[in-house]
Amino acid sequence: MPYYSDELKEEVRSANDIVDVISGYVRLQKKGNSYVGLCPFHNEKTGSFHVSQNKQLYHCFGCGAGGDVFAFLMEYENFSFKEAMEQLADRVGMTLPVQELTEKEKRESDYRSMLLEVNREAGKYYYMLLRSRRGAHALEYFRGRQLTDETMQKFGLGYADKYSDDLYRYLKGKGYSDQLLKDAGLITVDEVRGAHDKFWNRAMFPIMNVHNKIIGFGGRVMGEGEPKYLNSPETQIFDKSRNLYGLNLARQSRRPQMLLCEGYMDVIALHQAGFDHAVASLGTAFTSGHASLLKRYAKEVYLTFDSDGAGVKAALRALPILKEAGLNAKVIHMEPYKDPDELIKALGADAYQERIDQAENSFLFEIRILEQNYNMADPQGKTAFYNEAARKLLAFSEELERNNYIEAVARKYQIGFENLRRLVAQVSVQTGLVKKPEPLKSGIHKKEPRREDGIKKSQKLLLTWLSEEPSLYPVIREYVTPDDFPDELCRKAAEALFAQLEAGSLNLAQIPGHFEDLEDQREIVSAFHETIREVRTRAARGQALKDTILKLKEHHLQILRDNHDLSGMQERFTQMLQEKKMLEALRKKEFFTQLSE
């Protein structure tokens, strides 16, 4: 049970509109009675993530994720309930009383603290080794990259010794268990070598969260060896798809833009040159989780990737993700240099600032790269390029914006505005509809939806119907009680919902909070988000409602018939007669008069 009172929890929840909170993480669009977007908890191409302002709940029809505003922060940020409560209270300027943790929460909080503590100890040890005789060649490497002592200190750079059990022996001497070291991603255990360090003979880059806590490491091998760069595995405190290297420092710059790099050294070089708003993804492809994180701190993102083919491909993958998150994006040209570090070393910080000022519009960058696939000296190649450019221009559903881009492309590639506009219209007819930007994958593994039987669906349908049309309750309660719900969780949801409706104070967001288990909370939320089949008339909807209730009542009657326990037989027989009588009355009942238009 929560260690804050229900009254206080409700006060914090009601002060934080769930749409406002989730909009800070997910791009939502109004659709009917819900706000819809791409689910941040699994990979998907079309939005199945719904946020209801009326219910103050979110639910994904793809992976089943769902809950109230607390559950969202707990799942997205990997917060404990206490941390979610504190963040939401702080968001609206509320001061919470000091509370004691439950045993379960205390264990979870303590273990997370231990993981952070052992990472801090590892970071301190790596830091010390770099400045010792054993770390001389790593220090020489960093100085060869023209990093100052101040910069190395600012980023906490270190060195992992050449002996593969060096850190393990050091931390064991501090009293840390093998299990904790393994859970922190600092050691690997196998049958041949036993316990040994994850990182050895590497220049070390501590990875910090936005609160300046070390959550993982990146390491560059010294000399020959593969892989050249190695990152910590994902742990309870380290999620690569929701953290960015350097963000703990960059967010303090308070600039409206962020510079997005490919690697650690680019971030460090840019910060040293005065560009303290640079970040990089952590050895993984850029995801919508990264984009959502950036959106919390900036309105515009400048991509400063490597100028080679791999860098161009990475930029082309990142741009639609940034756009889907609602961020403006531009591309900084590095040519003829490979990356920001090399450019700054060759030309200086002022020259790099000029590159920022001259950054290319993201769509025009995509068109310029597209052009490289065609022979523009050949009429057929040029025509094919114009047709493909026209298809891309259809991504802009707003006519004014589309025309602005048509004008820019026409001017750059020497085709008349009207000619290109007609071509876009022609391609639109050929393709059927103006295409919308395709949502990108989030980088988070999809959870398989559960298959449900018919009676389970009927239970959820009725709960959803009552949650959306509470005025039906006075009619339905004559025929249905929570005992008619055979599924335990649905029955508990019905008990809570019926109690609220009986009291005349519907508050759906309160109900999932009665359950400690996150999977139970999701199941409860899904029970209030079953899809009600659309029908044209109120009479047809009334019949659909009656059919749902009949299915539940008939199922309940069948359960009574199938019970052959001799004890309580007379009472059960009486109940069966009552159920039969109620079913007969129900079959004659018409519900459409109570349904809303």
Side-chain angles (χ1 to χ4, degrees):
M1 294 299 290
Y3 38 83
Y4 288 108
S5 69
D6 289 341
E7 291 77 13
L8 183 59
K9 181 179 176 181
E10 183 57 33
E11 186 179 352
V12 172
R13 178 169 44 222
S14 62
N16 285 274
D17 181 77
I18 195 168
V19 174
D20 291 341
V21 173
I22 295 181
S23 292
Y25 298 87
V26 180
R27 188 182 185 190
L28 299 174
Q29 292 182 321
K30 188 79 163 65
K31 188 175 181 181
N33 294 325
S34 292
Y35 290 80
V36 182
L38 291 180
C39 180
F41 303 118
H42 81 282
N43 298 331
E44 64 175 1
K45 294 184 177 181
T46 53
S48 57
F49 184 77
H50 289 240
V51 185
S52 170
Q53 202 156 39
N54 290 336
K55 299 177 182 179
Q56 286 296 298
L57 295 171
Y58 70 93
H59 176 65
C60 177
F61 289 90
C63 71
D68 62 7
V69 68
F70 296 107
F72 180 84
L73 285 185
M74 290 168 71
E75 187 163 11
Y76 189 94
E77 296 279 17
N78 197 23
F79 280 169
S80 65
F81 174 76
K82 178 176 181 292
E83 290 170 328
M85 186 79 165
E86 287 171 350
Q87 175 148 318
L88 290 172
D90 184 64
R91 181 177 179 269
V92 294
M94 289 177 61
T95 302
L96 297 175
V98 177
Q99 296 286 334
E100 289 296 323
L101 296 174
T102 62
E103 283 302 315
K104 181 181 177 183
E105 289 289 336
K106 190 174 188 304
R107 285 195 303 271
E108 291 175 354
S109 178
D110 287 349
Y111 201 67
R112 285 170 59 87
S113 296
M114 289 172 67
L115 290 171
L116 291 170
E117 178 187 309
V118 76
N119 271 321
R120 185 180 71 247
E121 284 294 335
K124 286 165 62 178
Y125 186 64
Y126 291 145
Y127 184 89
M128 180 272 293
L129 280 184
L130 179 67
R131 289 146 185 87
S132 71
R133 181 177 55 82
R134 290 152 64 187
H137 59 309
L139 187 61
E140 183 181 349
Y141 164 74
F142 284 131
R143 285 180 174 160
R145 299 296 298 263
Q146 298 181 23
L147 298 185
T148 65
D149 290 346
E150 181 184 3
T151 296
M152 285 188 272
Q153 181 181 1
K154 178 181 178 182
F155 283 89
L157 304 183
Y159 169 65
D161 197 77
K162 62 182 180 181
Y163 300 107
S164 63
D165 64 347
D166 183 65
L167 179 71
Y168 174 66
R169 287 188 287 108
Y170 173 76
L171 292 175
K172 284 295 286 184
K174 292 274 189 180
Y176 296 108
S177 69
D178 284 10
Q179 188 62 52
L180 180 67
L181 298 179
K182 184 180 178 182
D183 289 347
L186 294 170
I187 68 166
T188 302
V189 180
D190 58 51
E191 293 181 0
V192 178
R193 299 170 62 191
H196 57 278
D197 296 348
K198 179 75 175 177
F199 301 96
W200 50 280
N201 195 31
R202 290 180 180 270
M204 298 299 292
F205 302 81
I207 299 165
M208 300 186 187
N209 62 18
V210 293
H211 305 298
N212 296 305
K213 305 289 187 182
I214 298 177
I215 55 176
F217 294 91
R220 186 196 188 281
V221 69
M222 292 288 92
E224 299 299 320
E226 293 293 335
K228 184 177 179 180
Y229 279 95
L230 180 66
N231 290 310
S232 292
E234 295 204 344
T235 68
Q236 291 183 35
I237 58 173
F238 181 42
D239 184 339
K240 295 177 184 178
S241 67
R242 296 184 194 173
N243 286 282
L244 290 162
Y245 183 71
L247 184 60
N248 59 309
L249 300 171
R251 73 187 187 102
Q252 298 173 30
S253 69
R254 303 297 181 185
R255 304 198 199 192
Q257 307 90 14
M258 284 280 183
L259 301 174
L260 181 60
C261 311
E262 285 192 83
Y264 303 129
M265 283 305 306
D266 288 333
V267 171
I268 295 170
L270 284 169
H271 277 254
Q272 182 169 278
F275 302 98
D276 59 355
H277 52 315
V279 298
S281 56
L282 298 160
T284 184
F286 188 78
T287 70
S288 62
H290 293 134
S292 297
L293 193 56
L294 284 172
K295 189 181 178 184
R296 293 162 64 181
Y297 301 104
K299 297 178 179 178
E300 198 167 34
V301 176
Y302 285 70
L303 274 63
T304 180
F305 288 0
D306 290 0
S307 59
D308 59 13
V312 170
K313 287 180 181 178
L316 289 173
R317 286 194 299 267
L319 287 173
I321 297 174
L322 290 164
K323 182 176 181 181
E324 183 61 34
L327 285 161
N328 295 323
K330 292 188 176 183
V331 180
I332 301 173
H333 295 173
M334 295 293 109
E335 300 89 347
Y337 303 98
K338 179 179 180 295
D339 53 37
D341 185 23
E342 189 177 291
L343 188 151
I344 289 171
K345 284 185 174 66
L347 303 179
D350 289 344
Y352 184 76
Q353 181 61 53
E354 289 179 11
R355 299 292 181 110
I356 293 176
D357 297 338
Q358 297 163 4
E360 186 175 17
N361 174 280
S362 61
F363 182 78
L364 296 181
F365 167 78
E366 293 181 75
I367 296 296
R368 179 169 63 82
I369 300 303
L370 176 69
E371 181 195 5
Q372 297 173 8
N373 298 326
Y374 298 89
N375 180 2
M376 298 298 283
D378 175 53
Q380 186 175 355
K382 184 182 285 189
T383 301
F385 164 70
Y386 287 147
N387 273 278
E388 189 57 36
R391 287 188 184 90
K392 284 191 168 292
L393 284 160
L394 286 172
F396 299 102
S397 55
E398 167 57 46
E399 184 178 2
L400 177 61
E401 185 180 24
R402 186 165 64 248
N403 283 338
N404 287 337
Y405 277 97
I406 289 173
E407 182 182 1
V409 173
R411 184 169 57 249
K412 183 172 182 179
Y413 293 98
Q414 299 178 343
I415 177 175
F417 170 77
E418 284 300 327
N419 289 335
L420 183 56
R421 192 172 68 83
R422 280 196 295 270
L423 179 60
V424 171
Q426 180 182 331
V427 170
S428 174
V429 172
Q430 291 170 354
T431 56
L433 292 170
V434 174
K435 291 194 291 185
K436 296 181 179 179
E438 186 178 277
L440 271 290
K441 294 184 177 181
S442 70
I444 304 171
H445 298 300
K446 182 175 180 178
K447 301 166 187 172
E448 291 296 326
R450 293 182 293 272
R451 294 182 181 274
E452 295 180 338
D453 58 25
I455 197 65
K456 182 71 168 288
K457 188 177 179 69
S458 295
Q459 293 174 80
K460 291 186 171 185
L461 273 171
L462 188 55
L463 289 171
T464 300
W465 223 313
L466 281 171
S467 72
E468 294 181 356
E469 297 189 46
S471 59
L472 290 171
Y473 177 67
V475 180
I476 288 176
R477 70 179 173 187
E478 296 180 29
Y479 304 95
V480 182
T481 72
D483 290 338
D484 291 310
F485 292 77
D487 179 81
E488 183 181 0
L489 282 176
C490 285
R491 183 166 62 254
K492 289 180 178 179
E495 288 171 353
L497 177 62
F498 284 25
Q500 288 186 356
L501 291 169
E502 197 68 44
S505 57
L506 184 62
N507 188 343
L508 291 176
Q510 274 188 344
I511 297 175
H514 296 321
F515 302 85
E516 288 190 43
D517 185 75
L518 184 59
E519 286 303 316
D520 288 349
Q521 289 186 23
R522 287 179 171 178
E523 187 70 12
I524 292 296
V525 171
S526 74
F528 296 126
H529 288 83
E530 188 59 57
T531 302
I532 299 174
R533 185 169 56 87
E534 292 187 13
V535 290
R536 293 185 178 180
T537 66
R538 276 201 301 164
R541 290 182 70 226
Q543 185 62 47
L545 175 61
K546 184 165 81 170
D547 289 345
T548 300
I549 299 172
L550 281 169
K551 187 175 289 187
L552 283 182
K553 298 297 294 182
E554 288 167 353
H555 182 78
H556 187 217
L557 180 59
Q558 190 61 47
I559 290 174
L560 293 172
R561 285 172 177 159
D562 293 343
N563 188 343
H564 301 297
D565 187 356
L566 294 177
S567 63
M569 181 182 289
Q570 184 61 43
E571 182 182 346
R572 197 163 54 253
F573 183 72
T574 302
Q575 191 177 357
M576 286 171 60
L577 290 176
Q578 291 174 342
E579 290 289 310
K580 283 184 178 180
K581 185 177 180 181
M582 191 177 295
L583 273 169
E584 290 174 6
L586 184 57
R587 289 190 178 102
K588 298 175 184 177
K589 178 75 177 179
E590 290 184 346
F591 282 103
F592 72 91
T593 53
Q594 283 81 27
L595 290 168
S596 62
E597 291 288 354

